[in-house]
Amino acid sequence: MRDGLGPARVRLRGGPVLAELDARFGPRARAKVLAGEVVDADGAVVDEATALPAGSVVYLYRELPDEVPVPFDIPVLYRDADIVVADKPHFLATMPRGRHVAQTALVRLRRELGLPELSPAHRLDRLTAGVLLFTARREARGAYQTLFARGLVAKTYLARAAVDPALVLPRVVRSRIVKRRGRLQAVCEPGAPNAETLVELVAPHGLYRLTPRTGRTHQLRVHMASLGVPIEGDPLYPNVIDVPADDFGAPLRLLARRIAFTDPLTGVHREFVSRRPGP
């Protein structure tokens, strides 16, 4: 771990490592080899003479992209030896991906809390704020991630959207949601449903309570848009809107308000509620 980030893992096509990394990633990767900053799976330093068979892996620290700082704090709601529960702000991705690396909840919390083994037990969209649970040590990771994977965590979200008097609520929305690599939007397709959300209008001015019973990518945003009442501030649904990276003035009006579960290590009932104002 270096400043909150682990090394990138590169699977090789086989042959001289220096030549392959240079061809695939350019002079910066070549410079890392020559500086002794690339190691193989056994931790041995790769040099200009190293050749490895196809399927081997090497590790190196990537160059961080230039990122626009997200000007919001990440309050910690709870912390013990096993977990950290944070109140994630809008515009901060859960973990590194694409152009968001250092400006992610995971990396910032690793740095701020001094916890190099911190890992998310689940994810929130970059534009969604609210309760986000991390494991603090490697040995606890699987137990908490399994809770979320098996749907054993009760989640409640609040959202702002227009009110359609003709829309009958509450209702359970079921659909088949597919998110393809390289596509910004997830889409509903024919087939067996894999996503389910209870949608309730809890205030006449457009405050909704959303209770997902599954956890598909962009599920709540897709389901609200499918009802004709997309969540306010959504730049993807129903239409893609280009928003500058440094525009923090119009957040998605969606808040992960509450999570509750039986702790897999202690058997104690856990409940965490965001302290952020309603969306």
Side-chain angles (χ1 to χ4, degrees):
M1 196 64 60
R2 180 185 293 177
D3 200 19
L5 281 169
R9 180 175 183 268
V10 179
R11 186 172 296 278
L12 301 173
R13 296 164 185 160
V17 177
L18 177 62
E20 179 172 343
L21 294 182
D22 188 16
R24 290 173 62 181
F25 305 111
R28 288 185 175 180
R30 179 184 181 87
K32 289 181 181 295
V33 173
L34 297 177
E37 295 185 4
V38 181
V39 299
D40 65 16
D42 296 321
V45 174
V46 170
D47 61 25
E48 57 267 35
T50 303
L52 294 172
S56 300
V57 296
V58 295
Y59 297 86
L60 68 159
Y61 290 96
R62 54 187 158 175
E63 298 292 328
L64 296 184
D66 291 330
E67 296 180 66
V68 176
V70 178
F72 307 114
D73 294 332
I74 318 173
V76 173
L77 299 172
Y78 176 82
R79 176 182 177 181
D80 64 21
D82 296 316
I83 61 173
V84 172
V85 183
D87 210 354
K88 189 184 85 67
H90 297 285
F91 302 107
L92 197 66
T94 295
M95 59 191 297
R97 185 176 182 183
R99 68 178 186 272
H100 305 291
V101 180
Q103 290 299 308
T104 59
L106 175 61
V107 173
R108 282 177 50 172
L109 285 172
R110 278 179 176 171
R111 293 174 176 177
E112 292 172 12
L113 303 178
L115 294 173
E117 293 187 359
L118 196 73
S119 181
H122 64 124
R123 300 184 189 185
L124 292 178
D125 290 346
R126 187 178 70 89
L127 299 183
T128 303
V131 181
L132 182 60
L133 188 146
F134 296 83
T135 56
R137 58 189 184 93
R138 188 184 308 272
E139 294 80 7
R141 189 176 301 167
Y144 290 94
Q145 290 178 341
T146 298
L147 274 185
F148 286 89
R150 294 177 60 191
L152 299 178
V153 179
K155 308 174 191 176
T156 303
Y157 291 71
L158 296 177
R160 290 279 181 188
V163 175
D164 180 358
L167 185 62
V168 178
L169 297 174
R171 72 164 62 189
V172 174
V173 181
R174 298 183 181 89
S175 66
R176 180 170 186 79
I177 295 178
V178 177
K179 176 70 166 62
R180 291 186 171 82
R181 184 183 297 273
R183 298 286 299 273
L184 294 176
Q185 290 181 318
V187 295
C188 289
E189 294 188 348
N194 62 4
E196 181 176 315
T197 307
L198 172 63
V199 179
E200 302 170 275
L201 181 64
V202 294
H205 51 282
L207 179 64
Y208 292 82
R209 179 168 56 234
L210 309 177
T211 307
R213 293 170 181 163
T214 54
R216 311 303 299 185
T217 298
H218 296 178
Q219 175 177 319
L220 303 181
R221 299 162 68 180
V222 171
H223 279 172
M224 290 294 284
S226 73
L227 295 176
V229 286
I231 298 172
E232 292 180 9
D234 197 333
L236 290 184
Y237 303 96
N239 302 307
V240 177
I241 301 171
D242 187 20
V243 179
D246 59 352
D247 184 355
F248 302 110
L252 177 71
R253 305 291 294 277
L254 178 62
L255 176 69
R257 178 67 172 171
R258 169 187 171 273
I259 62 171
F261 56 91
T262 298
D263 192 290
L265 301 185
T266 67
V268 173
H269 177 74
R270 302 273 203 178
E271 182 173 349
F272 302 104
V273 179
S274 172
R275 297 173 186 163
R276 297 186 180 278

